[in-house]
Amino acid sequence: MNKKLKFIVAGMAVVAGLASAVSCQDLKTDLDNLGKRVSTLESTVKDLQSRIDAGAVITAVNSNANGIEVVLSNGHKYPIYNGKDGANGKDGANGADGANGKDGANGLDGAPGTVVTIGENGNWYLDGVDTGLKAAGKDGKDGIDGKDGKDGID
């Protein structure tokens, strides 16, 4: 396969070199340059092939009861083990309660927000002041029965 690759690379280089030839006078110079380029490419391919041959690639990854095993092209096998679960830690002590928060701003002028409550008399209170308004509404009058499925409004 290495020879085929060299042949293909050399062939492509020859075609590229011939396509770039402008005139017959420059042909010798172009061929000399092309020869140098082919030699450089052959040297590079040879160097790459030797690096591939010297190294190893992963050919398999196998699962087992303890984890996985990685198998390389040079026959070396490397196990990778699953870790064991650690023991549960002890519960920590509860922290102290935090301080009460401050009233928020109402967003208009930065003043504290209004506290709204319902007093014992059933009225709304704003910041402890009775508004005189009942928090519960009075019962209204019954509505008018509709005729033929209508609500009686029209």
Side-chain angles (χ1 to χ4, degrees):
M1 180 171 159
N2 194 11
K3 289 182 182 181
K4 287 182 183 178
L5 179 61
K6 287 180 185 178
F7 181 75
I8 290 171
V9 169
M12 290 184 345
V14 169
V15 170
L18 292 176
S20 67
V22 177
S23 69
C24 292
Q25 295 173 347
D26 296 330
L27 185 57
K28 181 170 180 358
T29 303
D30 290 342
L31 287 175
D32 289 341
N33 289 337
L34 183 58
K36 290 176 186 175
R37 290 172 59 193
V38 168
S39 295
T40 301
L41 288 173
E42 286 175 341
S43 175
T44 301
V45 169
K46 184 177 179 181
D47 182 51
L48 288 173
Q49 186 64 49
S50 67
R51 289 179 188 224
I52 291 171
D53 292 342
V57 295
I58 296 174
T59 57
V61 177
N62 303 315
S63 296
N64 58 41
N66 297 323
I68 61 172
E69 179 182 61
V70 178
V71 181
L72 302 181
S73 60
N74 62 5
H76 291 133
K77 297 179 181 180
Y78 297 94
I80 299 176
Y81 300 105
N82 292 331
K84 294 183 180 180
D85 291 341
N88 289 336
K90 296 180 182 178
D91 288 342
N94 290 335
D97 289 342
N100 289 337
K102 296 179 181 178
D103 288 341
N106 64 14
L108 300 176
D109 57 7
T114 301
V115 177
V116 180
T117 57
I118 299 174
E120 290 183 18
N121 63 359
N123 288 349
W124 288 108
Y125 280 72
L126 302 177
D127 293 328
V129 177
D130 187 349
T131 64
L133 301 172
K134 293 289 184 189
K138 296 180 183 177
D139 285 342
K141 296 180 181 179
D142 290 340
I144 301 172
D145 289 337
K147 297 178 183 177
D148 298 330
K150 295 183 181 180
D151 57 13
I153 294 174
D154 52 358

